[in-house]
Amino acid sequence: MLRAFPLVWSLDKDQNETARSLLAQALAHDVDYPFALSLLAWCHAQRAVYGWTDAPGRDRDEALRLAQRAASLSHDDPMVLAILGAAHSFARDFDVAETHLERARSLDPNSAWAWLRSGWLDVYRERSASALGHFARFRRLSPLDPIAYMADVGVGAAHFVDGRYDDAITWIQRGLSQQPDASWALRWLVSAYVHAGRLDEARRACLRLRESHPDLTLAKVRDTWWPSAIMARILSGLRDAGLPEG
């Protein structure tokens, strides 16, 4: 489980697969280990969101099944609750995600990761001001965190929500400069470029996105992310930058 832990947070397809294998071994020793169950739930949720599976619906269902089992076994571990909040967020179960993240922050106000995932949940729910506050809290608590790039991309996403596209570009680029392999962030960046009127840069960024995900289409993005007005803006930007419909 400890070997799997950093791999789950990497948000990388190959490392996700290794993490799932390690977590399966951990659960073979203890089928009721909430930490391993929560991490495995998030692994499956990531597969659904980032398009690492041909059956995103099946992975979302498995993420929710594992998350619900972990929650039934552990009610007072802030780390488990933060991870469950992430899993439910990715599985589009936002109300349950909020419940877990609020409890995680209540039990441990210094849980940087609970604040980070709360910021992203706010992005999904289009609460940009709250998201910015949560990302700022995360950075104060853990300024040298190896996953700080996620907060920078999150700040960019919050600016995107409010239509501040040049600010969104600045922050997403900052996150990508720290973690160039975080190709999932290019979906936000491409769309921000388009809506900022920077179409040439959008097309170049879209080429980078398609190099990382050769099979990516608008239909797959639509199937893997959450339905919302924000999603419609992201899709229109990706379409204008050259991502095929599928």
Side-chain angles (χ1 to χ4, degrees), residues 197-221:
R198 298 161 63 174
L199 193 55
D200 287 343
E201 291 167 287
R203 287 169 175 158
R204 287 195 293 271
C206 191
L207 286 175
R208 288 173 56 196
L209 176 62
R210 295 183 69 182
E211 287 171 1
S212 300
H213 302 276
D215 298 328
L216 188 65
T217 63
L218 291 169
K220 287 186 177 180
V221 175

PDB file of all heavy atoms in Angstrom, residues 197-221:
ATOM      1  N   GLY A 197      -8.796  34.131 -27.414  1.00  0.00           N
ATOM      2  CA  GLY A 197      -8.522  34.611 -28.761  1.00  0.00           C
ATOM      3  C   GLY A 197      -7.123  34.303 -29.253  1.00  0.00           C
ATOM      4  O   GLY A 197      -6.660  34.901 -30.225  1.00  0.00           O
ATOM      5  N   ARG A 198      -6.462  33.337 -28.623  1.00  0.00           N
ATOM      6  CA  ARG A 198      -5.084  32.993 -28.985  1.00  0.00           C
ATOM      7  C   ARG A 198      -5.103  31.641 -29.705  1.00  0.00           C
ATOM      8  O   ARG A 198      -4.637  30.628 -29.201  1.00  0.00           O
ATOM      9  CB  ARG A 198      -4.217  32.976 -27.725  1.00  0.00           C
ATOM     10  CG  ARG A 198      -4.166  34.342 -27.065  1.00  0.00           C
ATOM     11  CD  ARG A 198      -3.741  34.350 -25.616  1.00  0.00           C
ATOM     12  NE  ARG A 198      -2.381  33.864 -25.400  1.00  0.00           N
ATOM     13  CZ  ARG A 198      -1.765  33.904 -24.211  1.00  0.00           C
ATOM     14  NH1 ARG A 198      -2.380  34.431 -23.155  1.00  0.00           N
ATOM     15  NH2 ARG A 198      -0.537  33.441 -24.091  1.00  0.00           N
ATOM     16  N   LEU A 199      -5.672  31.644 -30.922  1.00  0.00           N
ATOM     17  CA  LEU A 199      -5.984  30.394 -31.603  1.00  0.00           C
ATOM     18  C   LEU A 199      -4.734  29.633 -32.037  1.00  0.00           C
ATOM     19  O   LEU A 199      -4.710  28.391 -31.984  1.00  0.00           O
ATOM     20  CB  LEU A 199      -6.874  30.667 -32.808  1.00  0.00           C
ATOM     21  CG  LEU A 199      -7.540  29.444 -33.449  1.00  0.00           C
ATOM     22  CD1 LEU A 199      -8.330  28.656 -32.419  1.00  0.00           C
ATOM     23  CD2 LEU A 199      -8.458  29.890 -34.598  1.00  0.00           C
ATOM     24  N   ASP A 200      -3.683  30.331 -32.466  1.00  0.00           N
ATOM     25  CA  ASP A 200      -2.466  29.628 -32.885  1.00  0.00           C
ATOM     26  C   ASP A 200      -1.855  28.856 -31.716  1.00  0.00           C
ATOM     27  O   ASP A 200      -1.432  27.696 -31.869  1.00  0.00           O
ATOM     28  CB  ASP A 200      -1.440  30.613 -33.443  1.00  0.00           C
ATOM     29  CG  ASP A 200      -1.831  31.152 -34.821  1.00  0.00           C
ATOM     30  OD1 ASP A 200      -2.696  30.522 -35.466  1.00  0.00           O
ATOM     31  OD2 ASP A 200      -1.278  32.184 -35.225  1.00  0.00           O
ATOM     32  N   GLU A 201      -1.833  29.479 -30.543  1.00  0.00           N
ATOM     33  CA  GLU A 201      -1.300  28.805 -29.361  1.00  0.00           C
ATOM     34  C   GLU A 201      -2.212  27.644 -28.966  1.00  0.00           C
ATOM     35  O   GLU A 201      -1.735  26.593 -28.507  1.00  0.00           O
ATOM     36  CB  GLU A 201      -1.159  29.800 -28.211  1.00  0.00           C
ATOM     37  CG  GLU A 201      -0.069  30.833 -28.425  1.00  0.00           C
ATOM     38  CD  GLU A 201      -0.168  31.980 -27.442  1.00  0.00           C
ATOM     39  OE1 GLU A 201      -1.086  32.810 -27.606  1.00  0.00           O
ATOM     40  OE2 GLU A 201       0.661  32.047 -26.520  1.00  0.00           O
ATOM     41  N   ALA A 202      -3.503  27.840 -29.134  1.00  0.00           N
ATOM     42  CA  ALA A 202      -4.459  26.767 -28.826  1.00  0.00           C
ATOM     43  C   ALA A 202      -4.200  25.550 -29.704  1.00  0.00           C
ATOM     44  O   ALA A 202      -4.219  24.404 -29.220  1.00  0.00           O
ATOM     45  CB  ALA A 202      -5.883  27.265 -29.020  1.00  0.00           C
ATOM     46  N   ARG A 203      -3.961  25.772 -30.973  1.00  0.00           N
ATOM     47  CA  ARG A 203      -3.740  24.649 -31.889  1.00  0.00           C
ATOM     48  C   ARG A 203      -2.438  23.923 -31.561  1.00  0.00           C
ATOM     49  O   ARG A 203      -2.375  22.694 -31.646  1.00  0.00           O
ATOM     50  CB  ARG A 203      -3.735  25.160 -33.322  1.00  0.00           C
ATOM     51  CG  ARG A 203      -5.131  25.548 -33.817  1.00  0.00           C
ATOM     52  CD  ARG A 203      -5.098  26.292 -35.136  1.00  0.00           C
ATOM     53  NE  ARG A 203      -6.460  26.547 -35.628  1.00  0.00           N
ATOM     54  CZ  ARG A 203      -6.759  27.497 -36.500  1.00  0.00           C
ATOM     55  NH1 ARG A 203      -5.793  28.281 -36.993  1.00  0.00           N
ATOM     56  NH2 ARG A 203      -8.013  27.674 -36.895  1.00  0.00           N
ATOM     57  N   ARG A 204      -1.413  24.682 -31.174  1.00  0.00           N
ATOM     58  CA  ARG A 204      -0.152  24.028 -30.795  1.00  0.00           C
ATOM     59  C   ARG A 204      -0.337  23.196 -29.525  1.00  0.00           C
ATOM     60  O   ARG A 204       0.166  22.067 -29.421  1.00  0.00           O
ATOM     61  CB  ARG A 204       0.945  25.072 -30.598  1.00  0.00           C
ATOM     62  CG  ARG A 204       1.447  25.693 -31.903  1.00  0.00           C
ATOM     63  CD  ARG A 204       2.757  26.424 -31.710  1.00  0.00           C
ATOM     64  NE  ARG A 204       2.604  27.607 -30.875  1.00  0.00           N
ATOM     65  CZ  ARG A 204       2.304  28.821 -31.341  1.00  0.00           C
ATOM     66  NH1 ARG A 204       2.097  29.001 -32.637  1.00  0.00           N
ATOM     67  NH2 ARG A 204       2.212  29.853 -30.524  1.00  0.00           N
ATOM     68  N   ALA A 205      -1.060  23.746 -28.569  1.00  0.00           N
ATOM     69  CA  ALA A 205      -1.317  23.003 -27.337  1.00  0.00           C
ATOM     70  C   ALA A 205      -2.181  21.774 -27.611  1.00  0.00           C
ATOM     71  O   ALA A 205      -2.010  20.716 -26.993  1.00  0.00           O
ATOM     72  CB  ALA A 205      -1.987  23.902 -26.304  1.00  0.00           C
ATOM     73  N   CYS A 206      -3.101  21.894 -28.561  1.00  0.00           N
ATOM     74  CA  CYS A 206      -3.955  20.759 -28.917  1.00  0.00           C
ATOM     75  C   CYS A 206      -3.127  19.643 -29.557  1.00  0.00           C
ATOM     76  O   CYS A 206      -3.392  18.453 -29.325  1.00  0.00           O
ATOM     77  CB  CYS A 206      -5.073  21.207 -29.848  1.00  0.00           C
ATOM     78  SG  CYS A 206      -6.364  19.965 -30.092  1.00  0.00           S
ATOM     79  N   LEU A 207      -2.130  20.006 -30.338  1.00  0.00           N
ATOM     80  CA  LEU A 207      -1.235  18.991 -30.900  1.00  0.00           C
ATOM     81  C   LEU A 207      -0.505  18.237 -29.797  1.00  0.00           C
ATOM     82  O   LEU A 207      -0.341  17.011 -29.865  1.00  0.00           O
ATOM     83  CB  LEU A 207      -0.234  19.644 -31.855  1.00  0.00           C
ATOM     84  CG  LEU A 207      -0.786  20.102 -33.212  1.00  0.00           C
ATOM     85  CD1 LEU A 207       0.300  20.838 -33.998  1.00  0.00           C
ATOM     86  CD2 LEU A 207      -1.292  18.900 -34.013  1.00  0.00           C
ATOM     87  N   ARG A 208      -0.045  18.964 -28.767  1.00  0.00           N
ATOM     88  CA  ARG A 208       0.592  18.311 -27.618  1.00  0.00           C
ATOM     89  C   ARG A 208      -0.387  17.362 -26.936  1.00  0.00           C
ATOM     90  O   ARG A 208      -0.022  16.237 -26.550  1.00  0.00           O
ATOM     91  CB  ARG A 208       1.066  19.358 -26.605  1.00  0.00           C
ATOM     92  CG  ARG A 208       2.274  20.173 -27.023  1.00  0.00           C
ATOM     93  CD  ARG A 208       2.544  21.281 -26.032  1.00  0.00           C
ATOM     94  NE  ARG A 208       2.711  20.776 -24.671  1.00  0.00           N
ATOM     95  CZ  ARG A 208       2.656  21.557 -23.588  1.00  0.00           C
ATOM     96  NH1 ARG A 208       2.409  22.861 -23.714  1.00  0.00           N
ATOM     97  NH2 ARG A 208       2.846  21.029 -22.393  1.00  0.00           N
ATOM     98  N   LEU A 209      -1.625  17.796 -26.788  1.00  0.00           N
ATOM     99  CA  LEU A 209      -2.642  16.960 -26.159  1.00  0.00           C
ATOM    100  C   LEU A 209      -2.871  15.692 -26.970  1.00  0.00           C
ATOM    101  O   LEU A 209      -2.946  14.586 -26.411  1.00  0.00           O
ATOM    102  CB  LEU A 209      -3.938  17.755 -26.025  1.00  0.00           C
ATOM    103  CG  LEU A 209      -5.154  17.017 -25.464  1.00  0.00           C
ATOM    104  CD1 LEU A 209      -4.889  16.529 -24.046  1.00  0.00           C
ATOM    105  CD2 LEU A 209      -6.388  17.922 -25.487  1.00  0.00           C
ATOM    106  N   ARG A 210      -2.949  15.815 -28.284  1.00  0.00           N
ATOM    107  CA  ARG A 210      -3.216  14.654 -29.122  1.00  0.00           C
ATOM    108  C   ARG A 210      -2.005  13.730 -29.198  1.00  0.00           C
ATOM    109  O   ARG A 210      -2.156  12.517 -29.394  1.00  0.00           O
ATOM    110  CB  ARG A 210      -3.642  15.111 -30.512  1.00  0.00           C
ATOM    111  CG  ARG A 210      -4.976  15.873 -30.501  1.00  0.00           C
ATOM    112  CD  ARG A 210      -5.434  16.263 -31.885  1.00  0.00           C
ATOM    113  NE  ARG A 210      -5.831  15.080 -32.652  1.00  0.00           N
ATOM    114  CZ  ARG A 210      -6.243  15.137 -33.914  1.00  0.00           C
ATOM    115  NH1 ARG A 210      -6.310  16.309 -34.543  1.00  0.00           N
ATOM    116  NH2 ARG A 210      -6.579  14.042 -34.549  1.00  0.00           N
ATOM    117  N   GLU A 211      -0.799  14.277 -29.054  1.00  0.00           N
ATOM    118  CA  GLU A 211       0.391  13.414 -28.993  1.00  0.00           C
ATOM    119  C   GLU A 211       0.360  12.558 -27.726  1.00  0.00           C
ATOM    120  O   GLU A 211       0.762  11.391 -27.744  1.00  0.00           O
ATOM    121  CB  GLU A 211       1.652  14.276 -29.015  1.00  0.00           C
ATOM    122  CG  GLU A 211       1.957  14.888 -30.373  1.00  0.00           C
ATOM    123  CD  GLU A 211       3.085  15.905 -30.312  1.00  0.00           C
ATOM    124  OE1 GLU A 211       3.628  16.111 -29.207  1.00  0.00           O
ATOM    125  OE2 GLU A 211       3.420  16.491 -31.364  1.00  0.00           O
ATOM    126  N   SER A 212      -0.110  13.130 -26.623  1.00  0.00           N
ATOM    127  CA  SER A 212      -0.196  12.385 -25.367  1.00  0.00           C
ATOM    128  C   SER A 212      -1.369  11.410 -25.365  1.00  0.00           C
ATOM    129  O   SER A 212      -1.304  10.361 -24.723  1.00  0.00           O
ATOM    130  CB  SER A 212      -0.354  13.362 -24.192  1.00  0.00           C
ATOM    131  OG  SER A 212       0.741  14.236 -24.110  1.00  0.00           O
ATOM    132  N   HIS A 213      -2.439  11.773 -26.072  1.00  0.00           N
ATOM    133  CA  HIS A 213      -3.661  10.946 -26.110  1.00  0.00           C
ATOM    134  C   HIS A 213      -4.110  10.819 -27.565  1.00  0.00           C
ATOM    135  O   HIS A 213      -5.049  11.508 -28.002  1.00  0.00           O
ATOM    136  CB  HIS A 213      -4.759  11.587 -25.264  1.00  0.00           C
ATOM    137  CG  HIS A 213      -4.391  11.796 -23.832  1.00  0.00           C
ATOM    138  ND1 HIS A 213      -4.500  10.810 -22.872  1.00  0.00           N
ATOM    139  CD2 HIS A 213      -3.885  12.881 -23.201  1.00  0.00           C
ATOM    140  CE1 HIS A 213      -4.094  11.287 -21.711  1.00  0.00           C
ATOM    141  NE2 HIS A 213      -3.715  12.530 -21.885  1.00  0.00           N
ATOM    142  N   PRO A 214      -3.459   9.952 -28.342  1.00  0.00           N
ATOM    143  CA  PRO A 214      -3.758   9.865 -29.789  1.00  0.00           C
ATOM    144  C   PRO A 214      -5.213   9.545 -30.108  1.00  0.00           C
ATOM    145  O   PRO A 214      -5.695   9.916 -31.177  1.00  0.00           O
ATOM    146  CB  PRO A 214      -2.819   8.749 -30.271  1.00  0.00           C
ATOM    147  CG  PRO A 214      -1.726   8.686 -29.250  1.00  0.00           C
ATOM    148  CD  PRO A 214      -2.373   9.041 -27.950  1.00  0.00           C
ATOM    149  N   ASP A 215      -5.884   8.839 -29.210  1.00  0.00           N
ATOM    150  CA  ASP A 215      -7.259   8.435 -29.485  1.00  0.00           C
ATOM    151  C   ASP A 215      -8.290   9.395 -28.908  1.00  0.00           C
ATOM    152  O   ASP A 215      -9.501   9.132 -28.973  1.00  0.00           O
ATOM    153  CB  ASP A 215      -7.520   7.031 -28.915  1.00  0.00           C
ATOM    154  CG  ASP A 215      -6.627   5.976 -29.557  1.00  0.00           C
ATOM    155  OD1 ASP A 215      -6.305   6.138 -30.750  1.00  0.00           O
ATOM    156  OD2 ASP A 215      -6.253   5.014 -28.865  1.00  0.00           O
ATOM    157  N   LEU A 216      -7.843  10.505 -28.339  1.00  0.00           N
ATOM    158  CA  LEU A 216      -8.770  11.418 -27.678  1.00  0.00           C
ATOM    159  C   LEU A 216      -9.677  12.108 -28.694  1.00  0.00           C
ATOM    160  O   LEU A 216      -9.226  12.576 -29.744  1.00  0.00           O
ATOM    161  CB  LEU A 216      -8.002  12.468 -26.876  1.00  0.00           C
ATOM    162  CG  LEU A 216      -8.858  13.371 -25.965  1.00  0.00           C
ATOM    163  CD1 LEU A 216      -9.504  12.552 -24.859  1.00  0.00           C
ATOM    164  CD2 LEU A 216      -8.007  14.500 -25.382  1.00  0.00           C
ATOM    165  N   THR A 217     -10.957  12.167 -28.379  1.00  0.00           N
ATOM    166  CA  THR A 217     -11.948  12.855 -29.204  1.00  0.00           C
ATOM    167  C   THR A 217     -12.854  13.678 -28.295  1.00  0.00           C
ATOM    168  O   THR A 217     -12.865  13.498 -27.068  1.00  0.00           O
ATOM    169  CB  THR A 217     -12.814  11.865 -29.991  1.00  0.00           C
ATOM    170  OG1 THR A 217     -13.551  11.055 -29.051  1.00  0.00           O
ATOM    171  CG2 THR A 217     -11.965  10.969 -30.887  1.00  0.00           C
ATOM    172  N   LEU A 218     -13.621  14.554 -28.906  1.00  0.00           N
ATOM    173  CA  LEU A 218     -14.594  15.324 -28.133  1.00  0.00           C
ATOM    174  C   LEU A 218     -15.597  14.395 -27.453  1.00  0.00           C
ATOM    175  O   LEU A 218     -16.009  14.633 -26.317  1.00  0.00           O
ATOM    176  CB  LEU A 218     -15.319  16.311 -29.046  1.00  0.00           C
ATOM    177  CG  LEU A 218     -14.479  17.469 -29.595  1.00  0.00           C
ATOM    178  CD1 LEU A 218     -15.241  18.200 -30.693  1.00  0.00           C
ATOM    179  CD2 LEU A 218     -14.097  18.431 -28.481  1.00  0.00           C
ATOM    180  N   ALA A 219     -15.994  13.339 -28.149  1.00  0.00           N
ATOM    181  CA  ALA A 219     -16.950  12.395 -27.565  1.00  0.00           C
ATOM    182  C   ALA A 219     -16.384  11.747 -26.309  1.00  0.00           C
ATOM    183  O   ALA A 219     -17.097  11.573 -25.309  1.00  0.00           O
ATOM    184  CB  ALA A 219     -17.322  11.330 -28.596  1.00  0.00           C
ATOM    185  N   LYS A 220     -15.095  11.428 -26.325  1.00  0.00           N
ATOM    186  CA  LYS A 220     -14.486  10.802 -25.152  1.00  0.00           C
ATOM    187  C   LYS A 220     -14.364  11.793 -24.005  1.00  0.00           C
ATOM    188  O   LYS A 220     -14.579  11.431 -22.841  1.00  0.00           O
ATOM    189  CB  LYS A 220     -13.117  10.229 -25.513  1.00  0.00           C
ATOM    190  CG  LYS A 220     -13.195   8.972 -26.366  1.00  0.00           C
ATOM    191  CD  LYS A 220     -11.825   8.356 -26.587  1.00  0.00           C
ATOM    192  CE  LYS A 220     -11.934   7.054 -27.377  1.00  0.00           C
ATOM    193  NZ  LYS A 220     -10.610   6.429 -27.612  1.00  0.00           N
ATOM    194  N   VAL A 221     -14.018  13.032 -24.309  1.00  0.00           N
ATOM    195  CA  VAL A 221     -13.968  14.049 -23.249  1.00  0.00           C
ATOM    196  C   VAL A 221     -15.347  14.222 -22.638  1.00  0.00           C
ATOM    197  O   VAL A 221     -15.510  14.281 -21.416  1.00  0.00           O
ATOM    198  CB  VAL A 221     -13.453  15.390 -23.808  1.00  0.00           C
ATOM    199  CG1 VAL A 221     -13.513  16.468 -22.724  1.00  0.00           C
ATOM    200  CG2 VAL A 221     -12.027  15.254 -24.316  1.00  0.00           C
TER     201      VAL A 221
END
